[in-house]
Amino acid sequence: MTAPISLNAGGSLYDRIGPEALAALVTRFYTLVASDPLLAPIFPQDLSVTAEKQLAFLTGFLGGPPLYHERFGHPRLRARHLPFPITPARARAWLACMQAALRDTPQIGTDDARELYAALSRVAVHMVNTDGVASAP
């Protein structure tokens, strides 16, 4: 999955944000995920590999080098997330953590943060794989 992010005078969103700010965002984001009561249960306790994969994915997703593809193969985002119950509430919690991380990463400008959040909002909706309602036996 690639983001429908167009180039402008400043280049790709990756070019505008830069690798250092993106790494800071991912670090802040996973600090929030680890303490979120809806999200923490579906993530490993040690988030270092998860954060590494997220940074690699976002780098390529935003128009930078295809690090995720090079290290881990095609992202197959939906298939990779199917083992985890991703409800609409969890998608909203994930986005809330991302929004807070974007807000707390001053190196990312408001317009770039808004563009990134919009792209990730579409991804979060795509990852939902259950409504969270227990089915009857």
Side-chain angles (χ1 to χ4, degrees):
M1 172 176 257
T2 57
I5 297 175
S6 60
L7 293 176
N8 66 22
S12 69
L13 190 51
Y14 177 79
D15 293 333
R16 289 179 271 142
I17 290 175
E20 294 83 12
L22 192 57
L25 172 68
V26 169
T27 298
R28 285 182 180 94
F29 172 73
Y30 279 107
T31 298
L32 296 167
V33 165
S35 64
D36 187 281
L38 284 175
L39 299 176
I42 63 170
F43 281 88
Q45 192 165 26
D46 179 357
L47 290 168
S48 56
V49 172
T50 305
E52 176 189 344
K53 288 181 176 183
Q54 177 78 326
L55 180 58
F57 171 76
L58 286 175
T59 295
F61 182 72
L62 300 179
L67 302 180
Y68 192 95
H69 284 78
E70 292 170 356
R71 294 180 190 162
F72 309 106
H74 191 282
R76 300 180 1 224
L77 287 182
R78 183 138 170 95
R80 290 184 194 264
H81 288 80
L82 281 176
F84 309 100
I86 302 175
T87 63
R90 282 189 169 135
R92 287 189 300 273
W94 191 94
L95 285 168
C97 288
M98 183 57 72
Q99 189 168 51
L102 282 164
R103 192 174 43 248
D104 294 340
T105 306
Q107 308 95 304
I108 300 177
T110 304
D111 290 342
D112 292 336
R114 189 175 300 119
E115 185 176 345
L116 175 53
Y117 182 81
L120 293 176
S121 294
R122 291 186 294 276
V123 174
V125 168
H126 183 66
M127 294 299 108
V128 172
N129 58 28
T130 183
D131 61 9
V133 177
S135 57

